[in-house]
Amino acid sequence: MLTAFLIALAFVFAAEMGDKTQLVALAFATRFKTSIVLTGVFGATILVHLFSVFIGEAASFVIPTFWIKIIAGIAFILFGLWTLRGDKLEDEEKLTASRFGPLLTVAITFFIAELGDKTMLMTITIASEQQQFVAVWLGSTVGMVIADGIAIGVGKLLGTSLPENLLKYGTATIFFLSGLYTIYEAF
């Protein structure tokens, strides 16, 4: 159980570094109080990752273990390629004031931005492979909140500058190696 928690935490943390939703958290941090942004991110993350783990666990009941490992390995490699491509805030995702107030604005924006995002897909992949519902849910949530907490801190201290290339290439390397190892394990 601890292993599944740590795997989910580490991979989701790595996937979130330089991700679009991390940029959303960073941008919100330049506009709202840290506690409001962190609370909104946490609330949205709990819900998205609960849904993601449910999907991953359900997939593990209908797909044989060999194929889950092959699919997971390929997914890790694709996450590495996705990381190299990078994410940017799209015009429609740029942050504007909302009639819902800062907390709901952060939570709703973050929730919507996370749907179908790399970290959601990563959580689904890990859940299908590990088959430890609570451990993966909590690990992925903690990994995401830590990564976004870092972005919030950076947003408060430095504005919108992040060492993007270091994050991008380091994270991509981790995903490539993990993908190759997972495929190796399948055989």
PDB file of all heavy atoms in Angstrom, residues 62-78:
ATOM      1  N   VAL A  62     -10.896  -5.507 -16.351  1.00  0.00           N
ATOM      2  CA  VAL A  62     -11.268  -6.018 -17.674  1.00  0.00           C
ATOM      3  C   VAL A  62     -10.068  -6.208 -18.610  1.00  0.00           C
ATOM      4  O   VAL A  62     -10.207  -6.821 -19.656  1.00  0.00           O
ATOM      5  CB  VAL A  62     -12.315  -5.105 -18.357  1.00  0.00           C
ATOM      6  CG1 VAL A  62     -13.625  -5.124 -17.595  1.00  0.00           C
ATOM      7  CG2 VAL A  62     -11.815  -3.697 -18.515  1.00  0.00           C
ATOM      8  N   ILE A  63      -8.903  -5.690 -18.215  1.00  0.00           N
ATOM      9  CA  ILE A  63      -7.718  -5.801 -19.060  1.00  0.00           C
ATOM     10  C   ILE A  63      -6.691  -6.682 -18.341  1.00  0.00           C
ATOM     11  O   ILE A  63      -6.374  -6.429 -17.183  1.00  0.00           O
ATOM     12  CB  ILE A  63      -7.108  -4.404 -19.349  1.00  0.00           C
ATOM     13  CG1 ILE A  63      -8.147  -3.510 -20.036  1.00  0.00           C
ATOM     14  CG2 ILE A  63      -5.862  -4.521 -20.205  1.00  0.00           C
ATOM     15  CD1 ILE A  63      -7.703  -2.069 -20.178  1.00  0.00           C
ATOM     16  N   PRO A  64      -6.153  -7.712 -19.001  1.00  0.00           N
ATOM     17  CA  PRO A  64      -5.143  -8.583 -18.368  1.00  0.00           C
ATOM     18  C   PRO A  64      -3.899  -7.793 -17.935  1.00  0.00           C
ATOM     19  O   PRO A  64      -3.531  -6.798 -18.550  1.00  0.00           O
ATOM     20  CB  PRO A  64      -4.789  -9.576 -19.474  1.00  0.00           C
ATOM     21  CG  PRO A  64      -5.954  -9.552 -20.410  1.00  0.00           C
ATOM     22  CD  PRO A  64      -6.508  -8.151 -20.346  1.00  0.00           C
ATOM     23  N   THR A  65      -3.238  -8.270 -16.884  1.00  0.00           N
ATOM     24  CA  THR A  65      -2.074  -7.602 -16.302  1.00  0.00           C
ATOM     25  C   THR A  65      -0.973  -7.344 -17.330  1.00  0.00           C
ATOM     26  O   THR A  65      -0.369  -6.270 -17.333  1.00  0.00           O
ATOM     27  CB  THR A  65      -1.509  -8.445 -15.134  1.00  0.00           C
ATOM     28  OG1 THR A  65      -2.557  -8.676 -14.190  1.00  0.00           O
ATOM     29  CG2 THR A  65      -0.368  -7.738 -14.449  1.00  0.00           C
ATOM     30  N   PHE A  66      -0.706  -8.313 -18.194  1.00  0.00           N
ATOM     31  CA  PHE A  66       0.327  -8.129 -19.219  1.00  0.00           C
ATOM     32  C   PHE A  66       0.041  -6.874 -20.039  1.00  0.00           C
ATOM     33  O   PHE A  66       0.920  -6.046 -20.258  1.00  0.00           O
ATOM     34  CB  PHE A  66       0.391  -9.362 -20.135  1.00  0.00           C
ATOM     35  CG  PHE A  66       1.268  -9.164 -21.342  1.00  0.00           C
ATOM     36  CD1 PHE A  66       2.642  -9.281 -21.233  1.00  0.00           C
ATOM     37  CD2 PHE A  66       0.717  -8.834 -22.579  1.00  0.00           C
ATOM     38  CE1 PHE A  66       3.465  -9.090 -22.342  1.00  0.00           C
ATOM     39  CE2 PHE A  66       1.525  -8.642 -23.692  1.00  0.00           C
ATOM     40  CZ  PHE A  66       2.902  -8.770 -23.571  1.00  0.00           C
ATOM     41  N   TRP A  67      -1.209  -6.732 -20.487  1.00  0.00           N
ATOM     42  CA  TRP A  67      -1.565  -5.592 -21.334  1.00  0.00           C
ATOM     43  C   TRP A  67      -1.589  -4.295 -20.543  1.00  0.00           C
ATOM     44  O   TRP A  67      -1.260  -3.228 -21.085  1.00  0.00           O
ATOM     45  CB  TRP A  67      -2.891  -5.832 -22.049  1.00  0.00           C
ATOM     46  CG  TRP A  67      -2.715  -6.873 -23.106  1.00  0.00           C
ATOM     47  CD1 TRP A  67      -3.210  -8.139 -23.116  1.00  0.00           C
ATOM     48  CD2 TRP A  67      -1.930  -6.735 -24.295  1.00  0.00           C
ATOM     49  NE1 TRP A  67      -2.791  -8.801 -24.245  1.00  0.00           N
ATOM     50  CE2 TRP A  67      -2.004  -7.962 -24.990  1.00  0.00           C
ATOM     51  CE3 TRP A  67      -1.167  -5.705 -24.851  1.00  0.00           C
ATOM     52  CZ2 TRP A  67      -1.357  -8.177 -26.198  1.00  0.00           C
ATOM     53  CZ3 TRP A  67      -0.523  -5.921 -26.065  1.00  0.00           C
ATOM     54  CH2 TRP A  67      -0.623  -7.146 -26.720  1.00  0.00           C
ATOM     55  N   ILE A  68      -1.953  -4.358 -19.280  1.00  0.00           N
ATOM     56  CA  ILE A  68      -1.900  -3.145 -18.444  1.00  0.00           C
ATOM     57  C   ILE A  68      -0.466  -2.645 -18.361  1.00  0.00           C
ATOM     58  O   ILE A  68      -0.204  -1.448 -18.501  1.00  0.00           O
ATOM     59  CB  ILE A  68      -2.486  -3.411 -17.036  1.00  0.00           C
ATOM     60  CG1 ILE A  68      -4.008  -3.505 -17.136  1.00  0.00           C
ATOM     61  CG2 ILE A  68      -2.068  -2.323 -16.051  1.00  0.00           C
ATOM     62  CD1 ILE A  68      -4.704  -3.830 -15.848  1.00  0.00           C
ATOM     63  N   LYS A  69       0.499  -3.566 -18.170  1.00  0.00           N
ATOM     64  CA  LYS A  69       1.912  -3.154 -18.106  1.00  0.00           C
ATOM     65  C   LYS A  69       2.388  -2.579 -19.440  1.00  0.00           C
ATOM     66  O   LYS A  69       3.094  -1.578 -19.467  1.00  0.00           O
ATOM     67  CB  LYS A  69       2.784  -4.319 -17.656  1.00  0.00           C
ATOM     68  CG  LYS A  69       2.629  -4.645 -16.185  1.00  0.00           C
ATOM     69  CD  LYS A  69       3.722  -5.576 -15.726  1.00  0.00           C
ATOM     70  CE  LYS A  69       3.611  -5.864 -14.253  1.00  0.00           C
ATOM     71  NZ  LYS A  69       3.945  -4.737 -13.417  1.00  0.00           N
ATOM     72  N   ILE A  70       2.007  -3.217 -20.535  1.00  0.00           N
ATOM     73  CA  ILE A  70       2.409  -2.716 -21.856  1.00  0.00           C
ATOM     74  C   ILE A  70       1.790  -1.329 -22.090  1.00  0.00           C
ATOM     75  O   ILE A  70       2.482  -0.385 -22.501  1.00  0.00           O
ATOM     76  CB  ILE A  70       1.987  -3.695 -22.984  1.00  0.00           C
ATOM     77  CG1 ILE A  70       2.725  -5.026 -22.848  1.00  0.00           C
ATOM     78  CG2 ILE A  70       2.193  -3.069 -24.358  1.00  0.00           C
ATOM     79  CD1 ILE A  70       4.233  -4.934 -23.014  1.00  0.00           C
ATOM     80  N   ILE A  71       0.497  -1.209 -21.824  1.00  0.00           N
ATOM     81  CA  ILE A  71      -0.185   0.080 -22.005  1.00  0.00           C
ATOM     82  C   ILE A  71       0.410   1.132 -21.079  1.00  0.00           C
ATOM     83  O   ILE A  71       0.647   2.276 -21.490  1.00  0.00           O
ATOM     84  CB  ILE A  71      -1.707  -0.078 -21.776  1.00  0.00           C
ATOM     85  CG1 ILE A  71      -2.320  -0.918 -22.908  1.00  0.00           C
ATOM     86  CG2 ILE A  71      -2.391   1.283 -21.679  1.00  0.00           C
ATOM     87  CD1 ILE A  71      -3.736  -1.390 -22.632  1.00  0.00           C
ATOM     88  N   ALA A  72       0.678   0.768 -19.826  1.00  0.00           N
ATOM     89  CA  ALA A  72       1.269   1.710 -18.874  1.00  0.00           C
ATOM     90  C   ALA A  72       2.651   2.150 -19.345  1.00  0.00           C
ATOM     91  O   ALA A  72       2.990   3.342 -19.288  1.00  0.00           O
ATOM     92  CB  ALA A  72       1.354   1.088 -17.479  1.00  0.00           C
ATOM     93  N   GLY A  73       3.473   1.203 -19.815  1.00  0.00           N
ATOM     94  CA  GLY A  73       4.806   1.549 -20.309  1.00  0.00           C
ATOM     95  C   GLY A  73       4.737   2.505 -21.484  1.00  0.00           C
ATOM     96  O   GLY A  73       5.464   3.509 -21.542  1.00  0.00           O
ATOM     97  N   ILE A  74       3.856   2.209 -22.425  1.00  0.00           N
ATOM     98  CA  ILE A  74       3.681   3.106 -23.577  1.00  0.00           C
ATOM     99  C   ILE A  74       3.155   4.457 -23.117  1.00  0.00           C
ATOM    100  O   ILE A  74       3.600   5.511 -23.603  1.00  0.00           O
ATOM    101  CB  ILE A  74       2.749   2.451 -24.627  1.00  0.00           C
ATOM    102  CG1 ILE A  74       3.442   1.240 -25.259  1.00  0.00           C
ATOM    103  CG2 ILE A  74       2.321   3.462 -25.682  1.00  0.00           C
ATOM    104  CD1 ILE A  74       2.528   0.361 -26.092  1.00  0.00           C
ATOM    105  N   ALA A  75       2.227   4.437 -22.161  1.00  0.00           N
ATOM    106  CA  ALA A  75       1.682   5.700 -21.642  1.00  0.00           C
ATOM    107  C   ALA A  75       2.776   6.540 -21.004  1.00  0.00           C
ATOM    108  O   ALA A  75       2.843   7.762 -21.219  1.00  0.00           O
ATOM    109  CB  ALA A  75       0.558   5.422 -20.640  1.00  0.00           C
ATOM    110  N   PHE A  76       3.668   5.916 -20.213  1.00  0.00           N
ATOM    111  CA  PHE A  76       4.765   6.663 -19.600  1.00  0.00           C
ATOM    112  C   PHE A  76       5.650   7.313 -20.671  1.00  0.00           C
ATOM    113  O   PHE A  76       6.062   8.464 -20.542  1.00  0.00           O
ATOM    114  CB  PHE A  76       5.613   5.770 -18.692  1.00  0.00           C
ATOM    115  CG  PHE A  76       4.971   5.421 -17.379  1.00  0.00           C
ATOM    116  CD1 PHE A  76       5.101   4.144 -16.859  1.00  0.00           C
ATOM    117  CD2 PHE A  76       4.254   6.350 -16.656  1.00  0.00           C
ATOM    118  CE1 PHE A  76       4.519   3.797 -15.648  1.00  0.00           C
ATOM    119  CE2 PHE A  76       3.666   6.023 -15.448  1.00  0.00           C
ATOM    120  CZ  PHE A  76       3.795   4.749 -14.938  1.00  0.00           C
ATOM    121  N   ILE A  77       5.933   6.568 -21.724  1.00  0.00           N
ATOM    122  CA  ILE A  77       6.747   7.123 -22.815  1.00  0.00           C
ATOM    123  C   ILE A  77       6.006   8.286 -23.485  1.00  0.00           C
ATOM    124  O   ILE A  77       6.594   9.336 -23.766  1.00  0.00           O
ATOM    125  CB  ILE A  77       7.126   6.020 -23.823  1.00  0.00           C
ATOM    126  CG1 ILE A  77       8.108   5.041 -23.159  1.00  0.00           C
ATOM    127  CG2 ILE A  77       7.721   6.615 -25.100  1.00  0.00           C
ATOM    128  CD1 ILE A  77       8.341   3.759 -23.926  1.00  0.00           C
ATOM    129  N   LEU A  78       4.696   8.119 -23.693  1.00  0.00           N
ATOM    130  CA  LEU A  78       3.900   9.205 -24.278  1.00  0.00           C
ATOM    131  C   LEU A  78       3.847  10.419 -23.351  1.00  0.00           C
ATOM    132  O   LEU A  78       3.878  11.568 -23.814  1.00  0.00           O
ATOM    133  CB  LEU A  78       2.491   8.713 -24.615  1.00  0.00           C
ATOM    134  CG  LEU A  78       2.409   7.701 -25.757  1.00  0.00           C
ATOM    135  CD1 LEU A  78       0.984   7.170 -25.915  1.00  0.00           C
ATOM    136  CD2 LEU A  78       2.907   8.314 -27.062  1.00  0.00           C
TER     137      LEU A  78
END
